[in-house]
């Protein structure tokens, strides 16, 4: 059977194999390191080696400290951390902080501060607060990194020019003109060569360039500059790695207590935030490799914080720099094909080997080359992408404040200023409310944009009093919060205005919402005339299109004599779960032979027998919320909230108002956004790629469960998702006509038959009596009798879900019906011809409504002759 290839099979676990009695136990398999991890570790090592030396140089620490931090970060965090593919080590983001600490307290005390910061990270990890660290505004984090990058670049520029950097950015900028006047030609030449190789290496074109680019650009830049300096015989300061026996370790902290506490907090904050944000970034990289995401899994941020803390303790004790997750090395690790934490740990081992055996080679590297490398890293930390992002989100003021604060005052002070600015901006947005008044055709419109608090009450009152007595007013509240003062002011004005003969309509931002008494999260009714279904409504934002059932309080029922009867009728309809007699989304029950018309949305409203004409597939299909810019609450089409409309045209009925409000919300909020796309479809005609045949059940929203939009699906809906065999339609050719039109005229490439859980048609088919009266529904459901016979045939394997048996006979019949209707589909001439030509695929699908889970029918011949519906997971989206 043609279908999608299963992406995950939740089969029961295999039986354990036991060795024979009295025989030796089986040997445990050896732990092997994957070849991909070995190659990835080498690539990361080649990047980490020069960067670690450069960062140590930039901080003023012993150069061995950078190697110690790289080795500890790779081995300790690689083994204990919660993000297997993140590579940790000395980070450029810590350069400014560490340099300031070394200058103020000395190297041994700085190591002790690193140890204390690691202990603080361990404490935070044990109390599981890692997630709360991500609450820091991205504008503050990116601003902090940009400020650090500027500080690094300005300081290293002095070394690039052959001078010595000063302690502060202001001093470095003040001395820069004098440094430019006395440039050291040899240092500048080596630095220029380093930067040229660093920029040009990733841009080498052609196949040869692809091979060469496998060698990391930082390694090529430093190695090329070092080789050129050696051959040219340039006299330059070079890397000096004294004997490890003289390497300085941590000592007892010395200095003022408050200063040491501030230093520990700064190291803890920067290391933790940078590492946790790096872990989230690694998760995004891993998600682009579906075969890797199932193996690696998502990051455990609390465990990652514990691993970072342990690494800082070890690094500080051994005389290393502070450790944090490093974005450059982590992304290189993922892109190099790493599949486990072994690559991170092995890179740390390689750093240890290099530190012990490659000292003579490392001492050939000119300091100017390392300074140029670190300067380039600092410049890259001022990301134009981040600047565009914070500008788009109107947080550039927070970003700029944090950046300038870090540059001129320090990291902790800059972050504090950034947080203060972020709070000020948030308060400004909370209190900023735009209130406008205009008159159109005798109707006064008062539009409130923003949060309505007591601070906006005077302006609200002025705008409301512009409405003359006895006039008609519409007040639209475009916000998500209203405090008590604003509510009372609005209520008092409405009571006064209506008492003088005026009319007031208050509407909320979401479609179908009326504003009034604060009894529920959806909306309120100031005048006490709320509809039954909205009073005391405990619904969610998606109820504008969701076919929800809200309990009606007795107090509301007593105000409307018909409310109780209507609610009882609705409850009876909903209990049938798509059973006979329930109208379709458009509110009309199709008789035999009725065929809906196709339109530009790519759907054909087809009624077969008791089938229903469907209106749920509006151009605002919830499958594309990001493209339309409309949230789920605005998708209030005529689809899922029109029960009761067919019984009459009384506009006072709740369902009638829901239909009108839904259409109004579409015209107001959604139509302007999709009008261009629909105009294009109207000009070019529909070109859907799939025919989607499913049940008329109102809970099945095809555009939502398939993430499709206008023009994507040609949809046929009827009771029970049935496909009558050719010649058995008895005058109703609607389904056959839709199949022929889709395959021969529209030339769709696939046809999907979709069943669902709790199908009322299948329940009726199971419970029907053979000698019962032949109603239109019974005559239509005879096309499902082959499914019932197939399920009763003991010689045929039952259709089932992967990993579990069907819950009951109804679910078994729903699954079997999909398989049987696919066979009916093959009997149609147009389908059979397209299958022979290889131009068409058939798919079976089952949607479990209660679980919101889709299942796809597995291909024939895959390990079993059974008809298995395989679970579709999130990772399958990239397939």
């Amino acid at each position: 059977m043609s279908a999608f290839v299963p992406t995950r099979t939740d089969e029961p676990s295999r039986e354990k194999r036991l060795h024979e009695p009295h025989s030796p136990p089986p040997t445990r398999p050896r732990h092997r390191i994957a070849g991909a991890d070995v190659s990835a570790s080498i690539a990361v090592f080649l990047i980490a080696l020069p960067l670690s030396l450069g960062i140590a140089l930039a901080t003023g620490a012993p150069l061995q400290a950078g190697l110690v931090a790289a080795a500890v970060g790779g081995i300790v965090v690689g083994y204990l951390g919660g993000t297997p593919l993140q590579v940790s080590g000395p980070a450029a983001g810590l350069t400014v902080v560490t340099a300031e600490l070394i200058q103020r307290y000395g190297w041994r005390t700085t190591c002790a501060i690193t140890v204390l910061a690691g202990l603080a990270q361990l404490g935070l990890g044990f109390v599981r607060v890692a997630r709360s660290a991500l609450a820091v505004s991205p504008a503050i984090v990116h601003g902090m990194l940009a400020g650090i990058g500027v500080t690094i670049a300005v300081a290293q520029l002095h070394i690039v020019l052959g001078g010595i950097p000063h302690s502060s950015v202001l001093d470095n900028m003040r001395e820069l003109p004098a440094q430019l006047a006395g440039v050291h030609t040899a240092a500048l030449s080596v630095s220029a060569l380093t930067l040229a190789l660093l920029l040009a290496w990733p841009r080498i074109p052609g196949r040869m360039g692809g091979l060469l680019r496998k060698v990391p650009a930082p390694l090529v830049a430093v190695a090329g500059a070092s080789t050129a300096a050696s051959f040219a015989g340039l006299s330059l300061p070079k890397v000096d790695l004294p004997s490890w026996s003289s390497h300085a370790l941590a000592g007892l902290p010395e200095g003022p207590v408050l200063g040491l506490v501030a230093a520990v907090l700064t190291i803890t904050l920067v290391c933790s935030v940078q590492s946790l944000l790096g872990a989230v970034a690694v998760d995004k990289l891993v998600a682009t490799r579906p075969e890797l995401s199932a193996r690696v899994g998502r990051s455990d941020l609390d465990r990652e914080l514990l691993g970072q803390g342990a690494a800082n303790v070890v690094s500080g004790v051994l005389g290393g720099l502070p450790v944090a997750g490093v974005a450059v090395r982590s992304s290189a690790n993922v892109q190099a094909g790493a599949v486990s934490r072994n690559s991170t740990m092995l890179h740390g081992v390689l750093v240890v080997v290099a530190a012990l055996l490659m000292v003579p080679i490392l001492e050939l590297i000119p300091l100017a080359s390392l300074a140029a490398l670190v300067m380039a890293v600092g410049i890259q930390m001022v990301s134009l992408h981040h600047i565009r992002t914070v500008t788009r989100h109107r947080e550039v003021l927070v970003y700029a404040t944090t950046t300038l604060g870090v540059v001129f005052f320090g990291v902790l002070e800059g972050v504090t200023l950034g947080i203060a600015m972020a709070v000020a901006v948030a308060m400004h947005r909370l209190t900023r409310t735009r209130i406008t008044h205009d008159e159109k055709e005798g109707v006064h419109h008062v539009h409130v944009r923003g949060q309505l608090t007591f601070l906006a009450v005077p302006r609200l009152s002025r705008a409301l009093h512009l409405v003359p007595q006895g006039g008609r007013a519409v007040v639209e509240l475009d916000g998500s919060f209203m405090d008590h003062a604003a509510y009372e002011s609005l209520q008092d004005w409405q009571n006064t205005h209506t008492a003088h003969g005026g009319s007031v309509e208050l509407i909320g931002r979401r479609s179908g919402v009326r504003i009034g008494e604060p009894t529920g999260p959806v909306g309120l009714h100031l005048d006490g005339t709320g509809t039954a279904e909205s009073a005391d409504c405990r619904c969610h934002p998606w109820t504008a299109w969701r076919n929800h059932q809200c309990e009606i309080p007795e107090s509301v029922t007593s105000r409307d004599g018909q409310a109780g009867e209507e609610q009882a009728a609705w409850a009876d309809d909903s209990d049938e779960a798509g059973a006979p007699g329930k109208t379709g989304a458009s509110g009309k029950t199709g008789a035999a032979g009725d065929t809906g018309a196709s339109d530009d949305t790519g759907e054909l409203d087809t009624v077969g027998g008791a089938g229903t004409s469907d209106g749920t597939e509006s151009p605002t299909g919830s499958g594309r919320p990001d493209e339309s810019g409309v949230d789920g609450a605005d998708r209030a089409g005529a689809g899922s909230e029109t029960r009761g409309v067919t019984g009459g045209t009384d506009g006072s009925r709740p369902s009638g108002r829901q239909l009108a409000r839904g259409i109004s919300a579409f015209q107001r909020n959604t139509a302007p956004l999709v009008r261009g796309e629909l105009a294009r479809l109207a000009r070019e005609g529909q070109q859907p790629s799939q025919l989607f045949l499913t049940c008329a059940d109102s809970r099945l929203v095809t555009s939502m469960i398939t993430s499709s939009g206008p023009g994507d699906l040609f949809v046929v809906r009827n009771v029970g998702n049935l496909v009558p065999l050719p010649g058995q339609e008895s005058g109703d050719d609607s389904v056959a006509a839709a199949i022929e039109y889709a395959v021969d005229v529209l030339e769709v490439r696939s046809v999907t038959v979709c069943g669902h859980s709790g199908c009322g048609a299948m329940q009726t088919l199971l419970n029907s009596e053979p000698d019962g009266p032949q109603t239109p529904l019974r005559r239509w459901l005879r096309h499902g009798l082959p499914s019932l016979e197939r399920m009763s045939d003991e010689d045929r394997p039952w259709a089932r879900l992967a990993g579990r048996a069907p819950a009951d006979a109804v679910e078994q019949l729903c699954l079997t019906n999909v398989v049987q209707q696919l066979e009916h589909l093959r009997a149609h001439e147009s389908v059979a011809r397209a299958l022979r030509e290889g131009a068409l695929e058939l798919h079976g699908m089952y949607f479990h409504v209660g679980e919101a889970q889709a299942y796809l029918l597995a291909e024939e011949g895959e390990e079993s002759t059974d008809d298995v519906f395989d679970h579709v997971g999130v990772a399958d989206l990239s397939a």
Side-chain angles (χ1 to χ4, degrees):
M1 184 162 298
S2 176
F4 290 97
V5 177
T7 54
R8 187 177 73 185
T9 305
D10 299 328
E11 294 292 346
S13 58
R14 299 178 180 178
E15 295 182 358
K16 297 181 178 180
R17 296 183 179 180
L18 302 177
H19 58 276
E20 293 294 327
H22 309 294
S23 64
T27 57
R28 299 181 63 181
R30 295 180 180 179
H31 178 71
R32 295 182 178 179
I33 300 177
D37 283 333
V38 175
S39 60
S41 67
I42 296 174
V44 175
F45 160 72
L46 295 177
I47 295 174
L49 189 63
L51 284 176
S52 300
L53 292 172
I55 291 171
L57 173 67
T59 61
L63 296 183
Q64 295 101 319
L67 300 177
V68 171
V72 171
I75 297 173
V76 177
V77 181
Y79 183 72
L80 299 177
T83 308
L85 300 188
Q86 176 163 249
V87 181
S88 300
L94 294 162
T95 302
V96 176
V97 180
T98 309
E100 184 180 355
L101 294 179
I102 293 174
Q103 186 179 14
R104 181 178 300 179
Y105 299 110
W107 172 241
R108 295 172 67 87
T109 298
T110 301
C111 291
I113 291 173
T114 301
V115 173
L116 295 175
L119 293 175
Q121 285 182 297
L122 288 173
L124 293 175
F126 281 122
V127 298
R128 307 183 70 82
V129 296
R131 284 284 173 189
S132 61
L134 299 179
V136 180
S137 169
I140 296 175
V141 176
H142 297 321
M144 177 190 71
L145 295 178
I148 293 172
V150 171
T151 305
I152 292 173
V154 173
Q156 297 309 299
L157 181 58
H158 282 270
I159 302 179
V160 166
L161 297 174
I164 300 175
H166 298 273
S167 58
S168 70
V169 178
L170 292 177
D171 291 338
N172 283 325
M173 295 180 69
R174 192 180 301 114
E175 296 295 329
L176 192 57
Q179 187 65 60
L180 289 171
V183 172
H184 192 287
T185 307
L188 182 60
S189 301
V190 170
S191 300
L193 179 59
T194 303
L195 291 174
L197 289 173
L198 192 64
L199 295 175
W201 191 259
R203 294 171 174 81
I204 299 177
R207 180 177 301 176
M208 182 60 66
L211 296 176
L212 293 176
R213 286 195 298 269
K214 292 183 178 180
V215 182
L219 178 67
V220 173
V222 173
S226 302
T227 303
S230 298
F231 280 114
L234 299 178
S235 178
L236 289 170
K238 297 182 179 180
V239 170
D240 182 17
L241 294 175
S243 172
W244 284 100
S245 60
S246 61
H247 178 61
L249 303 178
L252 294 176
E254 298 178 359
V257 175
L258 290 180
L260 293 174
V261 170
V264 171
L265 291 178
T266 303
I267 294 291
T268 303
L269 171 67
V270 177
C271 288
S272 301
V273 172
Q274 183 169 341
S275 300
L276 294 175
L277 291 176
V280 174
V282 170
D283 280 346
K284 294 179 180 178
L285 290 175
V286 171
T288 63
R289 296 173 54 190
E291 76 283 356
L292 182 61
S293 58
R295 179 171 181 175
V296 175
R298 294 185 62 84
S299 296
D300 183 342
L301 296 184
D302 292 304
R303 179 179 173 181
E304 180 66 19
L305 197 55
L306 291 172
Q308 296 290 340
N312 275 313
V313 171
V314 175
S315 180
V317 169
L318 297 179
L321 291 171
V323 172
V326 186
V328 175
R329 301 172 212 176
S330 301
S331 60
N333 192 36
V334 176
Q335 292 168 2
V339 295
S340 72
R341 62 179 71 244
N342 291 331
S343 64
T344 305
M345 298 169 62
L346 187 55
H347 125 270
V349 173
L350 293 176
V351 172
V352 173
V353 173
L356 296 176
L357 303 180
M358 296 177 60
V359 173
I361 299 176
L362 297 178
E363 289 183 338
L364 296 175
I365 301 174
L367 296 183
S369 179
L370 292 179
L373 177 65
V374 176
M375 185 181 72
V377 172
I379 294 173
Q380 291 173 354
M381 291 173 70
V382 186
S383 171
L384 293 178
H385 170 70
H386 291 156
I387 294 175
R388 285 193 294 266
T389 301
V390 298
T391 302
R392 187 168 61 250
H393 290 91
R394 297 181 300 166
E395 293 186 332
V396 68
L397 190 60
V398 178
Y399 179 90
T401 301
T402 308
T403 301
L404 296 176
V406 170
V407 169
F408 292 110
F409 302 107
V411 174
L412 189 59
E413 293 83 355
V415 170
T416 303
L417 288 173
I419 293 174
M421 181 56 68
V423 172
V425 170
M427 293 298 296
H428 174 70
R429 290 176 179 173
L430 181 63
T431 58
R432 183 187 179 192
T433 306
R434 293 182 57 191
I435 303 176
T436 60
H437 167 269
D438 61 342
E439 181 182 358
K440 295 179 181 179
E441 299 178 356
V443 180
H444 293 263
H445 295 266
V446 178
H447 192 177
V448 181
R449 297 179 179 89
Q451 318 312 319
L452 196 54
T453 65
F454 66 95
L455 297 174
V457 167
R459 285 180 289 140
L460 175 65
S461 179
R462 285 195 295 270
L464 293 176
H465 283 82
L466 292 176
V467 180
Q469 289 188 4
R472 181 183 175 189
V474 176
V475 180
E476 183 172 355
L477 304 179
D478 189 358
S480 59
F481 176 76
M482 179 197 301
D483 69 3
H484 187 69
Y487 164 73
E488 282 197 348
S489 176
L490 192 57
Q491 185 183 43
D492 291 343
W493 171 82
Q494 189 201 26
N495 292 337
T496 303
H497 188 73
T498 54
H500 288 83
S503 65
V504 179
E505 182 181 10
L506 293 103
I507 59 177
R509 181 177 183 176
R510 294 191 295 261
S511 58
V513 173
R514 288 293 185 271
I515 309 302
E517 56 199 76
T519 58
V522 166
L524 315 170
H525 288 265
L526 294 174
D527 57 1
T529 61
T531 60
E533 78 278 10
S534 62
D536 276 349
C537 178
R538 291 171 175 80
C539 306
H540 299 281
W542 57 81
T543 51
W545 58 261
R546 175 179 173 230
N547 195 4
H548 63 294
Q549 291 288 331
C550 297
E551 296 181 2
I552 302 179
E554 293 182 3
S555 59
V556 178
T557 308
S558 63
R559 292 200 301 263
D560 188 349
Q562 296 180 350
E565 297 176 4
E566 291 173 349
Q567 179 70 8
W570 297 346
D572 290 342
D573 284 346
S574 65
D575 289 341
E576 295 178 21
K582 182 175 180 178
T583 62
S586 66
K588 58 184 177 182
T589 303
D594 291 344
T595 303
S598 62
D599 57 21
D600 290 327
T601 64
E603 300 194 8
L604 182 68
D605 297 334
T606 303
V607 183
T612 59
S613 179
D614 177 38
T616 62
E617 313 304 329
S618 71
T620 62
S622 58
R624 292 185 177 178
D626 293 334
E627 296 180 16
S628 65
V630 183
D631 60 19
D634 288 335
R635 301 185 190 96
S640 58
E641 293 188 328
T642 56
R643 289 171 300 170
V645 177
T646 55
T649 58
D650 184 2
S652 64
R653 299 186 62 158
S655 55
R657 283 194 292 272
Q658 289 171 352
L659 174 62
R661 288 199 301 264
I663 297 173
S664 176
F666 166 76
Q667 295 298 144
R668 179 177 68 251
N669 301 323
T670 308
L673 300 175
V674 300
R675 187 170 286 121
E677 175 66 11
L678 293 181
R680 183 189 66 81
L681 289 172
R683 291 191 306 270
E684 301 176 1
Q686 59 172 329
Q687 296 177 344
S689 60
Q690 301 181 49
L691 167 60
F692 198 86
L693 196 150
T694 188
C695 185
D697 193 292
S698 61
R699 300 166 297 178
L700 215 60
V701 184
T702 59
S703 59
M704 179 177 68
I705 66 176
T706 59
S707 297
S708 58
D712 290 342
L713 299 182
F714 190 78
V715 179
V716 177
R717 304 189 71 154
N718 59 52
V719 172
N721 47 276
L722 300 178
V723 180
L725 284 168
Q728 296 187 10
E729 294 90 345
S730 299
D732 180 9
D733 294 326
S734 58
V735 176
I739 294 172
E740 180 181 347
Y741 186 78
V743 176
D744 292 343
V745 179
L746 297 178
E747 297 181 346
V748 297
R749 296 187 297 274
S750 69
V751 181
T752 300
V753 176
C754 178
H756 67 95
S757 61
C759 181
M762 297 300 104
Q763 296 180 30
T764 304
L765 194 60
L766 273 175
N767 300 328
S768 61
E769 299 179 1
D771 300 330
Q774 289 298 311
T775 64
L777 176 65
R778 290 285 299 267
R779 288 195 297 272
W780 169 249
L781 289 182
R782 75 184 185 280
H783 301 301
L785 292 176
S787 302
L788 194 60
E789 295 171 359
R790 185 188 188 99
M791 188 180 74
S792 304
D793 190 350
E794 297 180 356
D795 296 332
R796 283 186 168 182
W798 277 8
R800 59 187 178 87
L801 298 174
R804 70 173 178 87
D808 50 27
V810 175
E811 185 170 58
Q812 180 65 71
L813 183 56
C814 292
L815 296 171
T816 305
N817 184 57
V818 172
V819 178
Q820 184 63 38
Q821 300 310 315
L822 284 171
E823 289 194 4
H824 290 185
L825 200 57
R826 287 189 180 86
H828 286 261
E829 175 60 28
S830 56
V831 174
R833 182 174 60 255
L835 288 174
R836 288 194 301 269
E837 296 172 354
L840 187 67
E841 294 180 351
L842 301 186
H843 304 301
M845 177 177 169
Y846 176 76
F847 186 76
H848 195 291
V849 177
E851 298 174 356
Q853 178 61 58
Y855 297 82
L856 292 175
L857 187 60
E859 284 189 358
E860 257 182 358
E862 287 201 22
E863 300 181 1
S864 173
T865 58
D866 295 353
D867 297 310
V868 180
F869 288 80
D870 194 70
H871 181 284
V872 178
V874 175
D876 303 332
L877 295 177
S878 60

